Amino acid sequence: MEQTSLEVTPTHTIYRFQGGQVNLTVSFFTPAFPKDLDTLSRPVTYLTVSATGEGDHELSILIDVDPVIAVNSSDER
């Protein structure tokens, strides 16, 4: 799919893609609210994926994260 736009705000990053007659929107939300330290301390980014298009389409999305993000250095288990 071809990336058609990118929007970055303080809490969201939104990518839009198009391939054929399918439009895909992927939104990353990080709850970085300075006045809410409990929420700010969460090591989480929320992901929302939505797709629209004309006609019938089958859509498959693979979400993959490299396990190295959970260690201090790449030689750790």
Side-chain angles (χ1 to χ4, degrees):
M1 299 186 96
E2 181 181 335
Q3 182 177 333
T4 58
S5 71
L6 170 62
E7 179 182 350
V8 179
T9 71
T11 58
H12 284 85
T13 302
I14 303 168
Y15 294 90
R16 289 186 178 84
F17 302 91
Q18 184 174 15
Q21 296 177 337
V22 176
N23 297 304
L24 181 69
T25 301
V26 181
S27 176
F28 297 87
F29 168 65
T30 303
F33 305 120
K35 292 183 181 182
D36 185 349
L37 295 180
D38 288 335
T39 302
L40 183 61
S41 67
R42 294 180 193 167
V44 173
T45 293
Y46 298 91
L47 175 65
T48 304
V49 178
S50 62
T52 59
E54 295 180 26
D56 292 334
H57 295 88
E58 185 173 320
L59 181 65
S60 176
I61 297 172
L62 170 67
I63 299 172
D64 187 23
V65 175
D66 191 326
V68 79
I69 70 165
V71 296
N72 188 44
S73 63
S74 60
D75 62 335
E76 291 181 337
R77 294 186 70 171

